[in-house]
Amino acid sequence: MKRKPTRHAGNPVENAVRISLLKREINDLITMADMQASWGDSPAQTVDRCGRVLFVVSFATGRCNVPDDLPEVRILRAMCNVVEQLALDHSTLDQHRATLSSGLQAVQRLLPRLNLWSIAEGSLVLDHLLLQGIRPQVEDMHQLIKAPAALPFAA
């Protein structure tokens, strides 16, 4: 049986399209999280959207060995704690809006330091976890920033 030829992995047009789609996807995710955090009236959606951003960016931060003493990473950690508090007490959304917005701005500043493929990998890991019914916790986010491979589900 003769094998079909596979796509050439080094196709620059195909790679450019993939990169463009990944960039758009992460920017859309951050924009939706920011809109929900700034003006939304659903704490549950805010926790979901901001939590998704946190997981993906925390994963990529750890994969790219970004120093965890950077101000942006410290802000990311603070945002993790706020999202956890908001998940426990939905009535605190208004008092946490500024911190969430600051965290999402820090994410924007971190993006140039992150490898786009590590962001995509983090997104795939998160999708896989959610399909299994696993909801990452704030401790997981903190660990992802340090070393994603240290968590069993991120290896």
Side-chain angles (χ1 to χ4, degrees), residues 46-82:
T46 302
V47 167
D48 179 66
R49 298 245 166 80
C50 289
R52 287 173 187 272
V53 170
L54 282 169
F55 186 93
V56 170
V57 172
S58 295
F59 186 96
T61 298
R63 275 284 193 253
C64 295
N65 297 314
V66 175
D68 62 352
D69 61 345
L70 283 177
E72 288 82 5
V73 176
R74 289 195 306 265
I75 293 169
L76 194 67
R77 288 179 186 279
M79 186 179 168
C80 289
N81 295 331
V82 166

Side-chain angles (χ1 to χ4, degrees), residues 63-125:
R63 275 284 193 253
C64 295
N65 297 314
V66 175
D68 62 352
D69 61 345
L70 283 177
E72 288 82 5
V73 176
R74 289 195 306 265
I75 293 169
L76 194 67
R77 288 179 186 279
M79 186 179 168
C80 289
N81 295 331
V82 166
V83 169
E84 180 183 46
Q85 290 173 6
L86 185 56
L88 297 173
D89 183 3
H90 286 266
S91 67
T92 62
L93 176 59
D94 287 333
Q95 76 186 48
H96 291 307
R97 288 187 194 276
T99 305
L100 294 171
S101 180
S102 176
L104 292 165
Q105 289 171 15
V107 164
Q108 290 284 7
R109 291 189 304 271
L110 271 174
L111 285 180
R113 293 177 162 265
L114 304 177
N115 177 301
L116 192 57
W117 299 114
S118 64
I119 294 170
E121 182 184 5
S123 182
L124 289 172
V125 169

